[in-house]
Amino acid sequence: EHEVGHTDRVGKLEYNDRLSLQRAQRVADELVRIGIAAQAISVAGRGEREPLVATEDEVAETRNRRVEVSVR
């Protein structure tokens, strides 16, 4: 499984990079808690770089705050 965290465009790029990684890690932690092997999970953060909904900088768009999970 691969979890990728994302943020909206509010805040500094560096902060959003950390936040997106933390979001993805929280999902991974929950999957491990319910029995998925930790070594089967990879985690990444994309920050504000891959928005679901394009916005101007500093626009709070809730649909861009997400974690995408890919299962193979």
Side-chain angles (χ1 to χ4, degrees):
E1 296 189 25
H2 185 69
E3 281 72 50
V4 179
H6 300 272
T7 66
D8 61 20
R9 298 201 59 206
V10 175
K12 294 186 184 254
L13 186 64
E14 298 82 12
Y15 173 80
N16 284 334
D17 285 345
R18 283 192 312 276
L19 178 59
S20 65
L21 186 57
Q22 290 170 350
R23 282 187 176 144
Q25 187 60 58
R26 278 190 224 117
V27 171
D29 292 346
E30 183 62 21
L31 292 172
V32 169
R33 190 187 72 72
I34 64 170
I36 305 291
Q39 61 270 25
I41 300 172
S42 64
V43 176
R46 298 286 190 264
E48 60 185 62
R49 289 173 187 81
E50 298 174 11
L52 189 62
V53 177
T55 66
E56 295 296 322
D57 199 24
E58 298 303 318
V59 173
E61 173 53 64
T62 58
R63 293 173 289 178
N64 289 333
R65 297 180 217 137
R66 68 198 191 281
V67 174
E68 296 176 346
V69 178
S70 300
V71 179
R72 294 182 197 186

